[in-house]
């Protein structure tokens, strides 16, 4: 099984000089193809920071962070953009584009790539929305959807590009128990079908059972 | 990435975001429309001013023109000696010369008796100084004592002269001197004079008893056909007294135009008004684009996290600016056409809506929106994908 994420001895701090705030300390973790890893830990322990570094959204300088065989430590913007394009992101807030319908929102992922026609993109997006149970909501705008439906649209948006990795940061935090579990169940099912690896940050203990592996971060250190 | 995806996708998103919030879109369009109308009106008045300023000299029939150096424009001339004009007859290329007398005087409305100032042109009827058929044809009448011809394009405040003439009521007063109107012609009003009459040089002296035939306002010189005008101009100006200007026809037109552009601050005022209109529009569009970026910063950051690059958002901002320019310009242009008609019918000023003016102003508005876009894009830095989680 190939390794998609390989992090070794990652150190990261915010600020500089007197005000330096170390957030990640000597973090080492690797994630394989198709693996579902949950990261838990108290608030402020550095989970989000870790996710933004692995996702190519934040620059780190010490250690080694290899994602899809690209070294992200001291990388260029170009490398980070390339990595981002191969990752599906699911945010705590759904972060859909308000002016676009569910279908158009999901298509935004596909518009970054060449080759496909408008019809192909829309068909693909519609099939993905169908898969998350929103086949009857294709032309609804975000403010016409419930919180759980919106989060499922953003799951569709993350998965429609067939990424090898999905990064999710507390995707159930703003949802009630039932729609949260529903969203995570769909995510797991679709990921397993396509062999996508998932790194999911949460402190929602109700969803731990979906994981292949759970790691705990405390004060920037991974506990065994 | 192909060109369609390069420009079309960000433009499409810009369009979808624009039409999503109709209230804001209408406010934005009103801002551009406002700037548009301001610029159209300022430039319309300016062109109209220049066109009307040149309406009298445009019809003058001569090759070279003498004016006192202190004459800033035809409507406010400084006299010089007729002998100065006569001296030019010594040059072999000069065929004939004739003096033109100019004066502003109150004209009494035949019906209402209200007086209003107009321009009086006095010259020898035989000299045919104006290239206007109606004036040429009436040179017999012009020779009669106390006779004038009236410019039909004068403002209506002078009275409805054509029906009055047909009814036989043709006597009025200019400068409190009784004259009879014996014909009509069309020359056009200017910012300096609301109306015009032409008369003979002898009648001119009767209307203006303080003037004498030896002091002239302009000298019109005609050369033998085929002589090089520029060369004669140079030779004459070396012989003439230094206080007179000698102009060619084109130079005279330019001189009149430049008076309004520069000496009279009017050209400046309209130019200033144009710039102010564009600045106000720029500020409005900048404000709209800026708040638009701020309101969408989380959405942009999300797209950046998905792998969209900075250039995509720059193209999106410029596409928004372009749409605002077009959406504001179209109603602005249509409204301005209406306002031009209104100005022509109510103020009797020539305000033609030319195609080149429409194109010019569209590019002004487009540049205005583009500059606003350039000023606004720095705000895109607020969309930082690392802050998305
Ligand atoms: N942009 C930032 N600048 C400075 N400090 C930050 C920033 N983001 C997070 N931190 C700090 O880093 C630590 C870890 O934060 P975070 O990664 O968000 O933790 P978690 O997601 O586990 O709650 C916290 O102490 C937080 O205050
Ligand atoms: Mg967090």
């Amino acid at each position: 099984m190939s390794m998609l994420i390989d992090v070794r001895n990652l150190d990261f701090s915010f600020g500089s000089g007197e005000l330096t705030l170390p957030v990640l300390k000597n973090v080492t973790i690797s994630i394989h193809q198709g693996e579902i890893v949950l990261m838990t830990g108290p608030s402020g322990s550095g989970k989000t920071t870790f996710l933004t570094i692995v996702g190519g959204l934040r620059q780190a300088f010490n250690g080694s962070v290899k994602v899809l065989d690209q070294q992200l430590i001291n990388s260029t913007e170009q490398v980070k953009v390339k990595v981002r394009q191969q990752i599906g992101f699911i945010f705590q807030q759904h972060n859909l584009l308000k002016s676009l319908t569910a279908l158009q929102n999901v298509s935004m992922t596909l518009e970054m790539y060449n080759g496909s026609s408008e019809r192909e993109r829309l068909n693909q997006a519609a099939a993905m929305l169908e898969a998350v149970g929103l086949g009857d909501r294709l032309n609804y705008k975000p403010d016409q959807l419930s919180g759980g439906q919106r989060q499922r649209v953003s799951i569709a948006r993350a998965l429609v590009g067939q990424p090898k990795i999905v990064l999710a940061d507390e995707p159930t935090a703003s949802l009630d128990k039932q729609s949260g579990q529903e969203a995570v169940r769909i995510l797991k099912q679709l990921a397993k079908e396509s062999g996508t690896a998932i790194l999911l940050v949460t402190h929602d203990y109700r969803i731990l059972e979906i994981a292949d592996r759970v790691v705990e971060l405390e004060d920037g250190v991974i506990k065994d | 990435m192909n060109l369609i995806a390069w420009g079309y996708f960000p433009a499409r998103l810009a369009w979808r975001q624009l039409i999503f919030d109709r209230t804001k879109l209408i406010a934005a369009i009103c801002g551009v429309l406002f700037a548009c109308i301001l610029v159209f009106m300022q430039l319309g008045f300016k062109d109209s001013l220049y066109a009307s300023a040149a309406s009298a000299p445009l019809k003058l029939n001569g090759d070279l023109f003498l004016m006192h150096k202190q004459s800033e424009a035809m409507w406010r001339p400084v006299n010089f000696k007729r002998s100065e004009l006569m001296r030019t007859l010594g040059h072999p290329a000069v065929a004939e010369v004739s003096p033109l007398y100019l004066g502003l005087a109150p004209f009494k409305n035949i019906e209402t008796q209200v007086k209003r100032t107009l321009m009086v042109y006095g010259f020898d009827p035989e000299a045919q100084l104006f290239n206007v058929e109606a004036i040429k044809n009436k040179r017999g009448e012009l020779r009669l004592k106390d006779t004038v011809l009236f410019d039909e394009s004068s403002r209506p405040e002078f009275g409805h002269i054509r029906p009055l003439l047909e009814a036989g009521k043709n006597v009025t007063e200019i400068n409190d001197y009784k004259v009879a109107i014996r014909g009509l012609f069309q020359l056009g009003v200017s910012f300096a004079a609301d109306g015009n009459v032409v008369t003979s040089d002898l009648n001119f002296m009767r209307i203006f008893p303080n003037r004498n035939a030896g002091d002239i306002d302009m000298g019109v010189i005609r050369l033998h056909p085929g002589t090089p005008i520029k060369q004669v101009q140079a030779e004459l100006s070396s012989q003439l007294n230094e206080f007179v200007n000698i102009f060619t026809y084109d130079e005279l037109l330019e001189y009149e135009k430049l008076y309004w552009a520069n000496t009279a601050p009017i050209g400046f005022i309209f130019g200033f008004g144009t710039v102010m209109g564009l600045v106000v529009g720029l500020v409005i569009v900048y404000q709209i684009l800026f708040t638009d970026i701020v309101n969408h910063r989380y959405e942009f950051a999300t797209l950046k996290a998905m792998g969209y690059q900075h250039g995509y958002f720059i193209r999106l901002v410029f596409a928004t600016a372009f749409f605002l320019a077009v959406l504001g310009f179209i109603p602005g242009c249509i409204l301005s056409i209406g306002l031009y008609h209104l100005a022509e019918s109510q103020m009797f000023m020539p305000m033609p809506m030319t195609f080149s003016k429409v194109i010019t102003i569209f590019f002004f508005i487009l540049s205005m929106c583009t500059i606003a876009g350039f000023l606004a894009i720095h705000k895109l830095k607020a969309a930082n994908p690392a802050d998305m989680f």
Side-chain angles (χ1 to χ4, degrees):
Chain A
M1 267 215 282
S2 70
M3 221 185 308
L4 298 182
I5 298 175
D6 185 20
V7 179
R8 289 180 192 283
N9 310 110
L10 170 65
D11 286 319
F12 185 82
S13 4
F14 283 111
S16 57
E18 286 284 290
L19 296 169
T20 303
L21 173 70
V23 174
L24 298 174
K25 296 159 200 159
N26 202 26
V27 172
T28 297
I29 184 174
S30 52
I31 297 174
H32 294 88
Q33 189 182 345
E35 222 183 350
I36 299 184
V37 176
L38 257 65
M39 183 177 266
T40 61
S43 184
S45 57
K47 305 183 296 293
T48 295
T49 307
F50 178 71
L51 215 57
T52 55
I53 292 170
V54 172
L57 305 177
R58 198 184 285 289
Q59 182 70 67
F61 306 96
N62 297 303
S64 162
V65 177
K66 276 197 175 164
V67 178
L68 299 166
D69 295 324
Q70 299 283 335
Q71 178 58 262
L72 290 178
I73 296 296
N74 295 316
S75 62
T76 63
E77 181 72 10
Q78 255 355 79
V79 169
K80 279 183 287 190
V81 167
K82 204 174 147 203
V83 166
R84 283 178 210 164
Q85 289 182 344
Q86 302 176 73
I87 292 178
F89 287 99
I90 300 168
F91 307 93
Q92 175 176 351
Q93 299 297 325
H94 58 84
N95 283 318
L96 299 174
L97 274 60
K98 257 172 45 185
S99 52
L100 302 187
T101 63
L103 190 63
Q104 291 165 344
N105 262 294
V106 176
S107 296
M108 287 301 290
T109 300
L110 301 172
E111 282 179 16
M112 270 185 300
Y113 314 113
N114 314 323
S116 57
S117 69
E118 178 78 5
R119 165 169 303 217
E120 285 164 356
R121 280 192 299 271
L122 291 178
N123 285 343
Q124 218 177 321
M128 199 66 228
L129 281 165
E130 197 90 46
V132 297
L134 291 174
D136 55 344
R137 294 285 189 277
L138 299 185
N139 295 313
Y140 284 52
K141 299 231 165 113
D143 49 16
Q144 298 167 307
L145 298 171
S146 72
Q149 289 171 332
R150 283 181 222 161
Q151 196 57 292
R152 279 187 276 154
V153 175
S154 72
I155 289 171
R157 180 175 67 180
L159 293 177
V160 74
Q162 293 170 318
K164 295 215 172 64
I165 301 171
V166 168
L167 299 179
D169 192 7
E170 317 220 14
T172 58
S174 56
L175 302 181
D176 60 64
K177 181 176 179 222
Q178 200 195 339
S179 35
Q181 270 168 348
E182 171 79 355
V184 173
R185 188 188 59 74
I186 291 170
L187 178 61
K188 174 174 177 172
Q189 179 201 328
L190 295 174
K192 282 294 174 199
E193 283 168 14
S194 58
T196 305
I198 298 180
L199 174 57
L200 191 151
V201 161
T202 187
H203 44 227
D204 183 352
Y205 292 95
R206 299 168 305 197
I207 61 171
L208 290 187
E209 75 253 23
I210 71 156
D212 298 326
R213 180 151 63 102
V214 177
V215 292
E216 204 175 339
L217 199 64
E218 206 176 292
D219 267 341
V221 182
I222 292 201
K223 287 207 318 189
D224 295 310
Chain B
M1 185 166 284
N2 61 36
L3 197 67
I4 292 177
W6 185 87
Y8 173 69
F9 287 145
R12 182 169 70 175
L13 182 58
W15 178 255
R16 284 172 174 169
Q17 290 188 331
L18 264 183
I19 59 172
F20 180 67
D21 190 346
R22 298 292 161 96
T23 332
K24 222 175 63 197
L25 176 63
I26 288 168
I29 289 175
C30 285
V32 179
L33 185 144
F34 171 78
C36 211
I37 289 179
L38 231 102
V39 172
F40 262 113
M41 293 323 283
Q42 299 289 333
L43 289 184
F45 283 137
K46 191 166 102 174
D47 288 353
S48 159
L49 168 74
Y50 290 161
S52 57
S55 63
L58 194 64
K59 290 285 165 36
L60 280 178
N61 178 14
D63 298 312
L64 290 169
F65 303 86
L66 296 191
M67 268 172 106
H68 197 288
K69 280 231 164 93
Q70 285 174 20
S71 292
E72 290 180 299
M74 277 178 70
W75 75 277
R76 48 188 313 181
V78 174
N79 305 149
F80 60 98
K81 291 288 173 211
R82 183 192 177 118
S83 52
E84 199 63 33
L85 174 63
M86 293 308 163
R87 276 174 49 197
T88 64
L89 279 171
H91 192 287
V94 175
E96 50 183 333
V97 300
S98 42
L100 176 62
Y101 303 93
L102 303 164
L104 291 167
F107 173 101
K108 187 187 263 180
N109 182 317
I110 297 175
E111 296 152 303
T112 65
Q113 313 290 310
V114 175
K115 290 176 184 172
R116 198 179 167 102
T117 302
L118 49 52
M119 189 78 175
V120 184
Y121 295 86
F123 52 88
D124 177 359
E126 289 308 315
Q128 308 217 337
L129 278 195
F130 281 98
N131 259 332
V132 178
E133 282 311 310
I135 300 178
K136 288 181 178 175
N137 295 339
K138 292 274 180 179
R139 65 176 185 276
E141 282 84 343
L142 269 182
R143 264 200 304 272
L144 296 175
K145 185 169 181 283
D146 303 340
T147 290
V148 301
L149 305 180
F150 182 83
D151 182 359
E152 248 189 317
S153 27
S154 302
R155 288 185 60 93
E157 285 84 348
F158 292 104
H160 305 93
I161 305 294
R162 183 178 280 275
L164 285 169
L165 291 191
E166 281 160 5
K169 289 193 201 157
N170 68 342
V171 178
T172 185
E173 286 173 18
I174 300 176
N175 218 11
D176 298 327
Y177 182 82
K178 198 165 275 179
V179 294
I181 303 171
R182 293 191 196 274
L184 298 167
F185 64 96
Q186 288 194 342
L187 193 60
V189 296
S190 69
F191 276 61
D194 293 337
N196 303 299
V197 297
V198 300
T199 188
S200 70
D201 44 357
L202 298 177
N203 286 328
F204 186 91
M205 299 310 148
R206 294 185 184 112
I207 294 170
F208 297 95
N210 297 335
R211 295 287 302 267
N212 71 74
D215 292 322
I216 69 174
D217 297 295
M218 183 182 256
V220 180
I221 300 171
R222 290 199 199 115
L223 304 180
H224 291 297
T227 34
I229 297 177
K230 277 281 177 194
Q231 190 188 327
V232 179
Q233 180 192 25
E235 287 163 10
L236 284 179
S237 75
S238 65
Q239 295 168 19
L240 287 169
N241 220 315
E242 57 184 335
F243 60 77
V244 291
N245 276 323
I246 180 161
F247 295 129
T248 64
Y249 177 80
D250 293 330
E251 286 168 356
L252 180 67
L253 289 188
E254 193 58 25
Y255 189 76
E256 288 290 308
K257 200 170 146 175
L258 280 181
Y259 167 78
W260 293 104
N262 299 332
T263 316
I266 293 175
F268 170 77
I269 288 169
F270 288 129
F272 187 71
T274 305
V275 173
M276 284 321 286
L278 289 171
V279 168
V280 169
L282 177 81
V283 172
I284 293 173
V285 176
Y286 168 74
Q287 197 62 42
I288 290 163
L289 294 177
F290 183 90
T291 44
D292 222 43
I293 294 173
V294 172
N295 291 340
H296 289 122
R297 67 188 183 283
Y298 292 119
E299 298 189 355
F300 292 168
T302 306
L303 293 177
K304 275 190 186 174
M306 285 161 60
Y308 280 87
Q309 304 194 42
H310 195 66
Y312 179 90
F313 305 98
I314 291 176
R315 295 193 289 280
L316 182 135
V317 171
F318 281 117
T320 309
F322 176 78
F323 290 137
L324 289 181
V326 173
L327 291 179
F329 181 81
I330 292 169
C333 184
I334 291 169
L335 270 174
S336 300
I337 291 173
L339 288 171
Y340 273 35
H341 280 303
L342 203 67
E344 280 191 326
S345 61
Q346 297 302 306
M347 292 190 272
F348 304 96
M349 295 170 47
M351 297 266 283
M353 178 66 85
T354 59
F355 185 66
S356 72
K357 191 179 283 172
V358 171
I359 294 295
T360 309
I361 294 179
F362 178 69
F363 275 101
F364 277 0
I365 296 294
L366 194 60
S367 321
M368 173 186 97
C369 291
T370 309
I371 293 170
F374 270 110
L375 295 176
I377 50 175
H378 77 92
K379 197 61 197 170
L380 282 173
K381 298 216 174 70
N384 179 6
D387 300 332
M388 282 320 299
F389 284 113

